[in-house]
Amino acid sequence: MKQILDCELRKRGVDVKNHLCEHFPYSRQELFHLTRVGGLKTFDESFRKHGQGHGCDVCKPAVASILAACWNEYILKPKHAPLQDTNDHFLANLQKDGTYSIVTRVPGGEITPGKLIVLGEVAKSSAFIPRSPAPSASTSSARAWSSCR
């Protein structure tokens, strides 16, 4: 939908920017490259070098995700945890009925048969109901209070 809107706006002569948000005048991909090449390891470093203002609910989790992708750090480390939204604190997607779905984070979207078996074993031993409505593997329908953190 955004692509269609952007295309129509461009046709009408509107200057369309692909910025992450008002605090970072870069696209997510550009910010990823700036973080990687610049060796930036924290949100504060990224913000001082490339941001402006105070940050928001869009750029904080996005930068935290970029940092995790670049440096393979746990997203709930004390220096990254304040940047996460609610779902990321649980490492799951909270649902209105109190259940949550766990969407596995697989680097590059590729998984080996051995790792897929491990996911199945965890789902089986945790009494999760495996579901895969999209092209990603996920398990769901566990209560948030019964999570195995």
Side-chain angles (χ1 to χ4, degrees):
M1 184 70 166
K2 181 178 178 344
Q3 290 176 335
I4 295 170
L5 178 61
D6 288 351
C7 181
E8 290 300 318
L9 288 171
R10 280 190 195 99
K11 285 180 187 175
R12 288 169 174 72
V14 176
D15 182 27
V16 178
K17 300 198 182 329
N18 193 23
H19 298 169
L20 181 63
C21 69
E22 65 202 49
H23 304 109
F24 284 97
Y26 305 98
S27 69
R28 183 183 173 98
Q29 184 176 6
E30 291 167 333
L31 194 55
F32 177 90
H33 292 296
L34 290 168
T35 300
R36 186 71 168 183
V37 171
L40 306 175
K41 303 272 184 168
T42 66
F43 178 80
D44 289 338
E45 287 177 337
S46 295
F47 206 74
R48 274 194 305 272
K49 186 129 181 163
H50 303 293
Q52 57 196 14
H54 299 289
C56 66
D57 290 341
V58 172
C59 63
K60 288 180 179 181
V63 170
S65 174
I66 289 169
L67 293 169
C70 284
W71 313 117
N72 200 27
E73 289 186 332
Y74 183 52
I75 63 169
L76 294 181
K77 272 187 155 183
K79 66 181 179 182
H80 300 313
L83 306 174
Q84 305 305 325
D85 64 18
T86 303
N87 285 341
D88 289 327
H89 278 290
F90 281 91
L91 299 177
N93 297 318
L94 297 175
Q95 309 298 319
K96 290 179 184 177
D97 66 357
T99 63
Y100 64 92
S101 61
I102 301 168
V103 179
T104 56
R105 307 290 198 277
V106 179
E110 296 181 11
I111 191 164
T112 64
K115 288 182 182 178
L116 189 57
I117 290 169
V118 169
L119 288 174
E121 293 294 329
V122 168
K124 185 177 177 182
S125 68
S126 301
F128 293 140
I129 300 170
R131 294 185 185 164
S132 189
S136 63
S138 65
T139 56
S140 60
S141 294
R143 291 264 171 215
W145 48 262
S146 69
S147 68
C148 53
R149 290 202 251 172

